[in-house]
Amino acid sequence: MKFILFGKLSLFAALVVMFCNGASQAWGAAAATNTELTIASGGNTVASGGSVASGSEVTLTAAVTAGSTQVTTGQVNFCDASTAHCTDIHLLGTAQLTSAGTAVFRFVPGIGSHSYKAVFVGTPNRAAAYAGSTSAPAALTVTGTFPTTTAIASSGSVGNYTLTATVTGSVNSPSVAAPASSINFVDTSSSNTVLATANLGGAVYATGLVNVDNPQTGNEPGAVVVGDFNGDGIPDLAVALNETSQSVGILLGDGTGNFTPVTKSPITAAGSPIVVQDLNGDGIPDIVLSSASDDSLTVLLGNGDGTFKVAPGSPTSTNYGAYPIVVADVNGDGIPDLVAGGGYYLVTLLGNGDGSFTEMPITASTYSEATFSSMVVGDFNGDGIPDLATLDLAGQHIVILFGNGDGTFKTGPTTTTSTMSAGSPLSLTAGDFNGDGKLDLAVPIYGSSGSLAVLLGNGDGTFQAAPGSPVSVEDWPSMVYVGDFNGDGIADILVAAQTSGTTINILLGKGDGTFSQMQTGSPQLECCSNTALGDFNGDGVTDIVSSSFYNGNAEVLLTQLTQTTTATTTGISPVGTGTHQVDANYLGNSVYSASVSSTVGLTAVTPPSFAIAGTGVTVTAGATTGNTSTITITPAGGFTGSVALTAALTSSPNNAVDAPTFTFGATTPVSITGVAAGTATLTIATTARATGSGSCTASNSTPRNIPWYAGGGAVLACVFLLGIPARRRRLRNVIGMLAMLVAIAGGLLACGGSSGGGCTVPVSPFTTPGNYTITVTGTSGTLTEAGTVSLTVQ
């Protein structure tokens, strides 16, 4: 967030840009001070160099001490410490020191790395004078990913579609790289099948404005100002709801650019909201209302919840007019004062610290031979004391009034505007447009050929025309505002014109006092709108709000910075039937969030393929007839080509032996030339059951048995040969020979040919009976399909 929330530009008030380097010591000797800055978020302290998640409210707290004494009165500016000068867009906000000895500023910073500092302006004109001081910088990183949106477009015809995905990332600076990584094109009608993946490329950076809200305000609303009225760190609005009823509406922001009225809104009080500032030192922003009908000012003291009460002593009559009006500590006591351009006089109202004011007497030093049509406050000569740049509509010149430090002013240099461009100057604003730390001025020249004069300050109250000045803008320009509309840290300018449906003129600063036109798209500001600036969605880029006098609403325009990339894929053909819904899925990365597009309908097609089926076969093992299966190849989706076939056994009975074998012979490959199916013949070979000689039945599964008498004979022979004494050797030899003969006979019987029980004959194995499954696979190029054949062997 690089703009002022309190004291921000409105219809009559200009940017407060001063006292950011403790320069108030120029007012006189004062006690040295020390300023400490702390960062907190969600109730927890964040150490310098720490981080918070994007969208988090951040609280900057400054504590000012003089030795061991707390300083409880004075102004603290919260600044962007990454730049040399705390002016315009680099002044985040201003807060008053409270009785607790602290000044607090709450806001929602954008994604990125930041550095902050607190600058105590000093109170050289108090009884106990204190010098200004600046805190050490405190670093903070805001983490998160930028949001994206993804769109999809299709072209081509059935079977050959081209898909293009467009990813748009919302960024807060032109230095943020475009979305990278890849896109998945997904068929959501087919189990989220990824049809193709393509890489993003061709980044395009663009700027624009988008209208996000138009809250109703009332009939002919007037001025609008911005401030955080309920203390949530999100900018809110105060709008003059009706010029005749003199009522003020408070609209609370939700951080997305939308606003809703508070319960006790509107507030019935005299005047239009002009200035937002903490006027009673309680840390809550208050509102100053200006009434042109009776030249009075009314102060509304904030309660901190979006409601207000009228301050003591209000309304205060200036007697000499209450337009234009600025707020600043012009007498150096640390309490905000008001200065009004009342006709031919400057009216200075010194703040009492409770929301009431004491008017200073009109003296020669406050007299000017001019009418004050516009006025801004700033330190134009670098002495640390607030000065005034006043615009005289009648005389068409700018008069610088140097502050004396006591609430009075003396006339300084005069710059003539009549020679700048044809037309009349209506307003002016201050900003550092060339980055030298010296305040410059921008003046719209009202006329049928609109222009903007840019005057670069010399640091002594004099000015010189910037290169390329005046800049051509919309016809009849009337108001001018300073912000950072592209997040590059360089002051830009918004010019509002008093014509119906006018184009919005935003001039992007180049940092040297020259500008280029920003493309803003179609949004327009209605005639006679009153405009204010703020970061309404917390992305760190300046946005716009205007109260439309004739439409009775407040138009909220968010600045939109985008990085866009695309990815394209060709030859897309969803598989199936009917219409398939296809989306583009951006996967995201460390910088950007993922997003998914809506869908486009694509006609699906059946892809070229074929199906394989075979007839079942029942065969007796070893049969050579009836042992073939007809394999049919049926084309689909316009398939043509040559299909090669193979066969494999994929299931068998348990412990099967002598498995079937298969051949296609000359019937493969099969040529498919049209819609007709092709066929092939699968021949199945099995092994027959064999039968042995004699009465033993041959079997390839029965164990071969040895008769008992074969083994017994062998044992008996051993006993007689080895166990009989020698004296009976002759008898032993006879009996042993008999036993041996028995053993030999048993062995012969065991080998077959005997009619004894348990005999088996060794034969060749045959195919085990049972059910088999044969899988037939067809291949054509990269396409492979399979079918099965059921085989029963008997």
Side-chain angles (χ1 to χ4, degrees):
M1 183 179 295
K2 299 175 181 177
F3 54 88
I4 298 175
L5 288 182
F6 305 142
K8 183 61 189 174
L9 282 167
S10 63
L11 179 63
F12 306 107
L15 192 64
V16 180
V17 282
M18 56 192 163
F19 322 134
C20 293
N21 299 305
S24 58
Q25 297 179 59
W27 283 350
T33 62
N34 180 64
T35 300
E36 298 283 344
L37 175 65
T38 58
I39 303 177
S41 181
N44 299 314
T45 299
V46 180
S48 179
S51 64
V52 298
S54 62
S56 300
E57 176 197 337
V58 170
T59 300
L60 302 181
T61 301
V64 181
T65 55
S68 60
T69 302
Q70 284 186 327
V71 179
T72 58
T73 301
Q75 184 183 82
V76 174
N77 293 322
F78 295 93
C79 308
D80 177 1
S82 65
T83 60
H85 308 291
C86 185
T87 55
D88 46 71
I89 63 173
H90 304 299
L91 177 59
L92 280 71
T94 298
Q96 293 297 122
L97 286 168
T98 67
S99 58
T102 58
V104 175
F105 175 66
R106 298 180 178 88
F107 70 119
V108 178
I111 295 173
S113 298
H114 307 279
S115 181
Y116 306 116
K117 65 182 178 181
V119 179
F120 172 55
V121 174
T123 58
N125 240 14
R126 293 185 67 84
Y130 295 111
S133 58
T134 301
S135 74
L140 178 70
T141 298
V142 180
T143 61
T145 53
F146 293 104
T148 65
T149 57
T150 298
I152 188 172
S154 65
S155 61
S157 57
V158 177
N160 186 24
Y161 288 106
T162 295
L163 299 179
T164 299
T166 302
V167 179
T168 300
S170 297
V171 299
N172 59 10
S173 169
S175 63
V176 179
S181 70
S182 58
I183 287 282
N184 283 342
F185 294 95
V186 179
D187 185 348
T188 64
S189 301
S190 181
S191 302
N192 291 325
T193 300
V194 177
L195 299 177
T197 297
N199 292 325
L200 290 164
V204 176
Y205 174 74
T207 61
L209 298 172
V210 58
N211 180 207
V212 294
D213 193 19
N214 295 289
Q216 291 298 306
T217 56
N219 183 41
E220 299 179 349
V224 55
V225 292
V226 177
D228 180 11
F229 301 130
N230 62 348
D232 61 358
I234 299 172
D236 308 313
L237 307 177
V239 186
L241 298 182
N242 191 302
E243 290 292 338
T244 57
S245 65
Q246 300 285 288
S247 58
V248 179
I250 305 299
L251 305 174
L252 299 182
D254 66 358
T256 67
N258 294 305
F259 293 84
T260 55
V262 297
T263 304
K264 296 184 180 180
S265 177
I267 303 166
T268 301
S272 296
I274 302 299
V275 170
V276 176
Q277 185 79 19
D278 177 10
L279 301 174
N280 62 348
D282 62 356
I284 301 171
D286 309 313
I287 301 174
V288 178
L289 308 179
S290 173
S291 175
S293 62
D294 59 2
D295 295 335
S296 67
L297 299 176
T298 298
V299 174
L300 300 178
L301 298 179
N303 296 316
D305 59 358
T307 64
F308 294 82
K309 57 181 177 291
V310 177
S314 285
T316 299
S317 177
T318 66
N319 299 316
Y320 298 97
Y323 169 80
I325 185 171
V326 295
V327 58
D329 179 12
V330 296
N331 67 343
D333 64 355
I335 300 173
D337 309 310
L338 301 176
V339 180
Y344 289 95
Y345 295 91
L346 285 180
V347 179
T348 302
L349 302 172
L350 299 181
N352 297 318
D354 60 358
S356 66
F357 296 85
T358 300
E359 183 176 335
M360 292 185 65
I362 299 295
T363 65
S365 64
T366 60
Y367 177 80
S368 171
E369 295 179 357
T371 55
F372 300 100
S373 62
S374 183
M375 182 167 59
V376 293
V377 63
D379 183 6
F380 294 105
N381 61 354
D383 64 356
I385 300 173
D387 308 315
L388 300 174
T390 65
L391 179 61
D392 172 22
L393 176 60
Q396 295 190 2
H397 55 263
I398 298 169
V399 178
I400 301 299
L401 302 177
F402 292 130
N404 295 316
D406 59 359
T408 64
F409 298 85
K410 57 180 176 290
T411 302
T414 297
T415 300
T416 301
T417 63
S418 60
T419 60
M420 299 176 189
S421 181
S424 301
L426 288 188
S427 64
L428 77 166
T429 191
D432 183 7
F433 303 130
N434 61 351
D436 63 357
K438 301 171 184 177
L439 284 180
D440 311 315
L441 296 175
V443 186
I445 307 300
Y446 188 79
S448 57
S449 297
S451 63
L452 177 76
V454 179
L455 305 175
L456 301 181
N458 296 317
D460 58 0
T462 64
F463 299 85
Q464 58 182 314
S469 179
V471 182
S472 178
V473 294
E474 184 76 12
D475 296 344
W476 312 109
S478 58
M479 300 301 297
V480 61
Y481 310 87
V482 176
D484 184 3
F485 295 97
N486 64 346
D488 64 354
I490 300 173
D492 307 319
I493 296 175
L494 166 67
V495 182
Q498 294 290 359
T499 55
S500 178
T502 182
T503 301
I504 299 174
N505 283 268
I506 293 179
L507 304 177
L508 298 179
K510 298 179 181 179
D512 59 359
T514 64
F515 297 84
S516 62
Q517 285 279 354
M518 172 178 164
Q519 298 300 314
T520 59
S522 59
Q524 298 177 330
L525 294 179
E526 297 299 326
C527 174
C528 313
S529 298
N530 295 282
T531 301
L533 307 180
D535 181 5
F536 302 130
N537 61 346
D539 63 356
V541 182
T542 305
D543 304 313
I544 303 169
V545 61
S546 289
S547 61
S548 178
F549 184 81
Y550 294 112
N551 292 343
N553 60 20
E555 183 180 17
V556 181
L557 301 174
L558 297 185
T559 303
Q560 190 174 61
L561 310 179
T562 58
Q563 289 278 21
T564 301
T565 54
T566 59
T568 300
T569 186
T570 59
I572 298 301
S573 179
V575 175
T577 59
T579 300
H580 284 210
Q581 299 300 318
V582 177
D583 65 29
N585 189 339
Y586 172 57
L587 305 179
N589 56 22
S590 61
V591 178
Y592 291 95
S593 300
S595 59
V596 179
S597 73
S598 58
T599 61
V600 293
L602 305 182
T603 300
V605 296
T606 302
S609 63
F610 55 84
I612 295 179
T615 57
V617 178
T618 299
V619 63
T620 300
T624 57
T625 59
N627 61 333
T628 59
S629 172
T630 299
I631 307 301
T632 302
I633 301 95
T634 304
F639 171 82
T640 59
S642 179
V643 180
L645 299 175
T646 59
L649 188 65
T650 52
S651 71
S652 306
N654 291 334
N655 301 318
V657 296
D658 217 1
T661 59
F662 322 101
T663 58
F664 282 102
T667 62
T668 182
V670 179
S671 180
I672 304 295
T673 58
V675 297
T679 60
T681 300
L682 176 66
T683 301
I684 303 166
T686 57
T687 303
R689 182 190 301 272
T691 303
S693 61
S695 61
C696 292
T697 301
S699 173
N700 62 359
S701 60
T702 304
R704 293 159 173 80
N705 299 320
I706 299 175
W708 65 268
Y709 39 79
V715 174
L716 183 60
C718 292
V719 171
F720 277 94
L721 288 174
L722 300 176
I724 297 177
R727 61 180 177 270
R728 299 181 179 177
R729 184 167 298 168
R730 182 174 298 175
L731 177 61
R732 180 193 66 181
N733 290 341
V734 174
I735 296 173
M737 290 299 294
L738 292 174
M740 186 64 69
L741 292 173
V742 173
I744 292 172
L748 292 174
L749 291 174
C751 294
S754 171
S755 60
C759 174
T760 57
V761 180
V763 296
S764 298
F766 62 90
T767 301
T768 301
N771 295 321
Y772 296 80
T773 300
I774 304 166
T775 297
V776 178
T777 301
T779 303
S780 179
T782 59
L783 183 62
T784 298
E785 300 292 344
T788 61
V789 175
S790 297
L791 170 63
T792 301
V793 178
Q794 296 179 340

